[in-house]
Amino acid sequence: MYENKSKEIPCFLRMVDYKEVKRKNGNVLIFCNFEDLLKEAYGVKTMDEVLPMASGDEYICHCPFCKAEGHTKHKLYIKTDLTVGHCFVCTRNFINLTDEVKTEYKIPNFLGFMGSPGPLELVRLTDPIWSLDKFKYEFDDFSQEGYDYLIGRHGFMSDLYKVLDFKFMDGNIVMPFKYHGEIFYYQIRFSGSSNIRYFFPPISAKPPYIIEKPVNKNFIICEGVFDAIACLIMAPDYTPFAVLGSSISEYQMKFLREYVPEKILVYMDETKISNRIAENLKQEVGYCPIGIIRSTGEDPEENLKKRLAFGKPLQWIK
């Protein structure tokens, strides 16, 4: 469905990182941070200076691609909620990247989360553009560029990407999130040399990434998807559970409680972060043992790569 293009934008003064994806139907998607784009387009330093530039519910500015090609019309329209943009000259579609998932979700009081949590209310991806149907029908089952990127992380990915049902969007990696086998969300990891790394389709609650293991009640908490994959290898007796950041939300803790864990380890890239998450967990899942794995800046995947390089035992977390 897609061809991958990534190049410099001369008129952007090389200040805005972006990722260009060209679909075979001719549509071009530009992934970038809209705040950076708007500040550069208007020649200002803060979003407070950008706000007065709005015309109704849109910002109208010069498309950097059109400007580089000599066009003078200002026809790039970006929604003031910083969700999407479209240039009516070159027809490129712009997608905002914030490198994070929204976390506005609040657990309803009537569920009585404390002590009597009630059933998990699963929040599924319903975005009209980045839908679950897109994952099912539009993304590719294989991409040589994407496969090479995965193998570049470590050799176990040659088989694991199939087991984990990864797909590909123009050489970029599409990683599905599952709950009891059901795909309810996905995340895109951009390949190549761009500084832009991830795209999180809009969703109202930040989900955990879980590599489910039937009847396994031991859980290991980590930061990201590739850390979870490393934990799958290094901690074979644990179910990896990635929180996509340096904290665990109430919604994610409800996920964890739904699996009724019997033991929990927290393995972040800094011991103080692991301690903080462990303390939060003790308040909500305090009936089972909760421990940490100490680290001074090395995340689980980095540890795995080091062990591979130096021939150290891989399955060391017991």
Side-chain angles (χ1 to χ4, degrees):
M1 289 294 294
Y2 303 88
E3 294 177 1
N4 189 27
K5 303 291 180 184
S6 185
K7 55 188 177 184
E8 289 185 310
I9 310 176
C11 64
F12 250 40
L13 305 178
R14 303 177 184 176
M15 293 295 291
V16 179
D17 289 323
Y18 76 102
K19 187 76 174 183
E20 179 178 332
V21 175
K22 184 176 181 181
R23 300 180 62 184
K24 290 184 178 180
N25 64 7
N27 291 337
V28 178
L29 306 179
I30 304 297
F31 294 86
C32 66
N33 183 289
F34 278 7
E35 292 191 5
D36 292 342
L37 185 154
L38 288 167
K39 286 186 288 186
E40 185 70 17
Y42 290 123
V44 298
K45 295 182 178 180
T46 68
M47 280 303 294
D48 287 339
E49 296 173 279
V50 170
L51 295 177
M53 308 292 186
S55 176
D57 63 350
E58 294 175 314
Y59 296 106
I60 304 173
C61 59
H62 204 170
C63 169
F65 294 92
C66 293
K67 187 175 181 180
E69 294 169 2
H71 298 285
T72 59
K73 292 183 178 180
H74 289 212
K75 290 292 185 179
L76 172 55
Y77 287 69
I78 295 177
K79 292 291 186 181
T80 52
D81 62 2
L82 304 186
T83 52
V84 295
H86 179 76
C87 178
F88 287 90
V89 175
C90 66
T91 71
R92 286 177 171 88
N93 295 304
F94 288 72
I95 309 295
N96 190 27
L97 281 178
T98 61
D99 208 27
E100 62 182 16
V101 185
K102 295 180 180 179
T103 57
E104 296 94 344
Y105 182 85
K106 300 295 182 184
I107 295 173
N109 290 333
F110 66 83
L111 287 179
F113 180 74
M114 295 295 292
S116 179
L120 171 70
E121 291 189 339
L122 181 65
V123 179
R124 295 174 176 84
L125 179 61
T126 58
D127 186 79
I129 299 175
W130 302 97
S131 64
L132 293 174
D133 281 344
K134 182 181 286 289
F135 178 87
K136 186 175 182 180
Y137 299 113
E138 294 191 27
F139 297 144
D140 301 319
D141 291 329
F142 182 78
S143 158
Q144 188 64 51
E145 180 183 351
Y147 177 81
D148 291 344
Y149 166 80
L150 290 174
I151 296 302
R153 297 192 77 105
H154 56 78
F156 292 106
M157 295 304 306
S158 63
D159 296 316
L160 284 177
Y161 89 91
K162 298 177 185 177
V163 175
L164 299 173
D165 293 322
F166 282 9
K167 288 194 174 186
F168 302 90
M169 182 192 75
D170 179 26
N172 303 295
I173 318 304
V174 187
M175 305 174 289
F177 288 45
K178 298 180 182 180
Y179 175 66
H180 294 314
E182 173 192 352
I183 295 175
F184 69 95
Y185 186 68
Y186 57 84
Q187 171 187 339
I188 297 173
R189 202 327 175 167
F190 293 112
S191 58
S193 59
S194 172
N195 290 328
I196 292 177
R197 299 181 302 160
Y198 292 102
F199 174 61
F200 298 91
I203 193 170
S204 61
K206 181 170 69 171
Y209 176 79
I210 307 168
I211 303 179
E212 295 182 311
K213 295 182 179 180
V215 308
N216 189 309
K217 297 295 185 179
N218 297 330
F219 281 76
I220 184 165
I221 312 296
C222 58
E223 180 177 352
V225 171
F226 290 105
D227 291 324
I229 294 170
C231 288
L232 179 70
I233 298 166
M234 295 188 296
D237 297 328
Y238 289 82
T239 294
F241 186 105
V243 296
L244 310 184
S246 59
S247 63
I248 186 168
S249 68
E250 290 183 351
Y251 176 60
Q252 291 173 335
M253 284 192 282
K254 273 194 71 73
F255 257 96
L256 192 58
R257 290 193 64 150
E258 193 76 6
Y259 288 95
V260 194
E262 296 177 355
K263 181 180 179 182
I264 299 173
L265 284 178
V266 184
Y267 186 9
M268 308 298 282
D269 62 0
E270 292 185 26
T271 298
K272 64 179 181 180
I273 297 176
S274 294
N275 279 327
R276 185 172 66 242
I277 291 177
E279 289 302 313
N280 290 337
L281 287 171
K282 288 175 183 177
Q283 298 178 29
E284 307 295 351
V285 199
Y287 63 84
C288 71
I290 299 174
I292 69 165
I293 296 176
R294 295 185 174 276
S295 175
T296 57
E298 182 180 72
D299 64 35
E301 188 185 43
E302 290 168 340
N303 191 326
L304 173 65
K305 291 180 179 179
K306 182 181 70 176
R307 289 175 174 273
L308 286 168
F310 291 96
K312 293 184 177 181
L314 298 183
Q315 298 181 333
W316 63 278
I317 300 175
K318 304 299 183 180

